[in-house]
Coordinates of all heavy atoms in Angstrom, one line a residue:
M1411 N -40.2 -52.6 12.3 CA -40.2 -52.4 13.8 C -39.1 -51.6 14.2 O -37.9 -51.8 13.8 CB -40.2 -53.8 14.4 CG -40.3 -53.8 15.9 SD -39.5 -55.2 16.7 CE -40.5 -56.5 16.0
R1412 N -39.3 -50.6 15.1 CA -38.2 -49.8 15.6 C -37.4 -50.5 16.7 O -38.0 -51.3 17.4 CB -38.8 -48.5 16.1 CG -39.4 -47.6 15.1 CD -39.9 -46.3 15.6 NE -41.0 -46.4 16.6 CZ -41.5 -45.4 17.3 NH1 -40.9 -44.2 17.1 NH2 -42.5 -45.5 18.1
T1413 N -36.2 -50.2 16.7 CA -35.3 -50.8 17.7 C -34.4 -49.7 18.3 O -34.3 -48.6 17.7 CB -34.3 -51.9 17.1 OG1 -33.5 -51.2 16.1 CG2 -35.1 -53.0 16.4
I1414 N -33.9 -50.0 19.6 CA -33.1 -49.0 20.3 C -31.9 -49.8 20.9 O -32.2 -50.9 21.4 CB -33.9 -48.4 21.5 CG1 -35.1 -47.6 21.0 CG2 -33.0 -47.5 22.4 CD1 -34.8 -46.1 20.7
H1420 N -30.1 -54.6 23.5 CA -30.9 -54.3 22.3 C -32.4 -54.4 22.6 O -32.8 -55.4 23.3 CB -30.6 -55.4 21.2 CG -31.2 -55.2 19.9 ND1 -30.9 -54.1 19.1 CD2 -32.2 -55.9 19.2 CE1 -31.7 -54.1 18.0 NE2 -32.4 -55.2 18.1
F1421 N -33.1 -53.4 22.3 CA -34.6 -53.3 22.6 C -35.4 -53.2 21.3 O -35.0 -52.5 20.4 CB -34.9 -52.1 23.4 CG -34.3 -52.1 24.8 CD1 -33.0 -51.7 25.1 CD2 -35.1 -52.6 25.9 CE1 -32.5 -51.8 26.4 CE2 -34.6 -52.6 27.2 CZ -33.3 -52.2 27.4
E1422 N -36.5 -53.9 21.3 CA -37.4 -53.9 20.1 C -38.8 -53.3 20.6 O -39.3 -53.6 21.7 CB -37.7 -55.3 19.6 CG -36.4 -55.8 18.8 CD -36.6 -57.2 18.3 OE1 -37.7 -57.8 18.5 OE2 -35.7 -57.7 17.6
E1423 N -39.4 -52.5 19.7 CA -40.7 -51.9 20.0 C -41.7 -53.0 20.2 O -41.9 -53.9 19.4 CB -41.1 -51.0 18.8 CG -42.3 -50.1 19.1 CD -42.6 -49.2 18.0 OE1 -42.2 -49.4 16.8 OE2 -43.2 -48.1 18.3
W1424 N -42.4 -52.8 21.3 CA -43.4 -53.8 21.7 C -44.8 -53.2 21.7 O -45.7 -53.8 21.1 CB -43.1 -54.4 23.1 CG -44.2 -55.2 23.7 CD1 -44.7 -56.4 23.2 CD2 -44.9 -55.0 25.0 NE1 -45.7 -56.9 24.0 CE2 -45.8 -56.1 25.1 CE3 -44.8 -54.1 26.0 CZ2 -46.6 -56.2 26.2 CZ3 -45.6 -54.2 27.1 CH2 -46.5 -55.3 27.2
L1425 N -45.0 -52.1 22.3 CA -46.3 -51.3 22.2 C -46.1 -50.0 21.4 O -45.3 -49.2 21.9 CB -46.9 -51.1 23.5 CG -47.4 -52.3 24.4 CD1 -48.0 -51.8 25.7 CD2 -48.5 -53.0 23.6
T1426 N -46.7 -49.9 20.3 CA -46.6 -48.6 19.5 C -47.4 -47.5 20.2 O -48.3 -47.8 21.1 CB -47.1 -48.8 18.1 OG1 -48.6 -49.0 18.2 CG2 -46.5 -50.0 17.4
P1427 N -47.1 -46.2 19.8 CA -47.9 -45.1 20.4 C -49.4 -45.4 20.2 O -50.2 -45.0 21.1 CB -47.4 -43.9 19.6 CG -46.0 -44.3 19.3 CD -46.0 -45.7 19.0
A1428 N -49.8 -45.9 19.0 CA -51.2 -46.1 18.8 C -51.8 -47.2 19.7 O -52.9 -47.0 20.2 CB -51.4 -46.6 17.3
Q1429 N -51.0 -48.3 20.0 CA -51.5 -49.3 20.9 C -51.6 -48.8 22.3 O -52.5 -49.1 23.0 CB -50.6 -50.5 20.8 CG -50.7 -51.3 19.5 CD -49.5 -52.3 19.4 OE1 -48.4 -52.0 19.7 NE2 -49.9 -53.5 18.9
I1430 N -50.6 -48.0 22.7 CA -50.6 -47.4 24.0 C -51.9 -46.5 24.2 O -52.6 -46.5 25.2 CB -49.3 -46.5 24.3 CG1 -48.1 -47.5 24.4 CG2 -49.5 -45.7 25.5 CD1 -46.8 -46.7 24.4
V1568 N -38.7 -53.7 30.3 CA -39.2 -52.8 29.3 C -38.7 -51.4 29.6 O -38.5 -51.0 30.8 CB -40.7 -52.9 29.2 CG1 -41.2 -54.1 28.4 CG2 -41.4 -52.8 30.5
I1569 N -38.7 -50.6 28.5 CA -38.3 -49.2 28.7 C -39.2 -48.3 27.8 O -39.9 -48.8 26.9 CB -36.8 -48.9 28.2 CG1 -36.6 -49.4 26.8 CG2 -35.9 -49.6 29.2 CD1 -35.3 -48.9 26.2
L1582 N -39.1 -42.0 25.4 CA -39.5 -42.7 24.2 C -41.0 -42.8 24.1 O -41.7 -43.0 25.1 CB -38.9 -44.2 24.2 CG -37.4 -44.3 24.2 CD1 -37.0 -45.8 24.4 CD2 -36.8 -43.8 22.9
D1583 N -41.5 -42.6 22.9 CA -43.0 -42.6 22.7 C -43.6 -43.9 22.6 O -44.9 -44.1 22.6 CB -43.4 -41.7 21.5 CG -42.9 -42.4 20.2 OD1 -42.2 -43.4 20.2 OD2 -43.2 -41.8 19.1
A1584 N -42.8 -45.0 22.6 CA -43.3 -46.4 22.6 C -42.7 -47.2 23.7 O -41.8 -46.7 24.4 CB -43.0 -47.0 21.3
I1585 N -43.2 -48.4 24.0 CA -42.6 -49.3 25.0 C -41.8 -50.3 24.3 O -42.3 -51.0 23.4 CB -43.7 -49.8 25.9 CG1 -44.4 -48.7 26.7 CG2 -43.1 -50.8 26.9 CD1 -45.6 -49.1 27.5
Y1586 N -40.6 -50.5 24.7 CA -39.6 -51.4 24.1 C -39.3 -52.5 25.0 O -39.1 -52.3 26.2 CB -38.3 -50.7 23.7 CG -38.5 -49.7 22.5 CD1 -39.1 -48.5 22.7 CD2 -38.0 -50.0 21.3 CE1 -39.3 -47.5 21.7 CE2 -38.1 -49.1 20.2 CZ -38.7 -47.8 20.5 OH -38.9 -46.9 19.4
K1587 N -39.2 -53.8 24.5 CA -38.8 -54.9 25.3 C -37.3 -55.3 25.0 O -36.9 -55.2 23.8 CB -39.6 -56.1 24.8 CG -40.8 -56.4 25.7 CD -41.4 -57.8 25.3 CE -42.7 -57.9 26.0 NZ -43.4 -59.1 25.5
V1588 N -36.6 -55.7 26.0 CA -35.2 -56.1 25.8 C -35.2 -57.4 25.1 O -36.0 -58.3 25.4 CB -34.4 -56.1 27.2 CG1 -34.9 -57.3 28.1 CG2 -32.9 -56.2 27.0
K1589 N -34.2 -57.6 24.2 CA -34.0 -58.9 23.5 C -32.7 -59.4 24.0 O -31.7 -58.7 24.0 CB -34.0 -58.6 22.0 CG -35.3 -58.2 21.5 CD -36.3 -59.4 21.6 CE -37.7 -58.9 21.6 NZ -38.7 -60.0 21.9

Side-chain angles (χ1 to χ4, degrees):
M1411 182 205 299
R1412 293 186 292 176
T1413 63
I1414 298 271
H1420 187 66
F1421 291 85
E1422 289 180 355
E1423 188 174 26
W1424 171 56
L1425 291 181
T1426 65
Q1429 288 169 317
I1430 290 170
V1568 283
I1569 56 167
L1582 297 173
D1583 66 355
I1585 299 176
Y1586 291 74
K1587 261 187 191 174
V1588 71
K1589 291 290 157 190

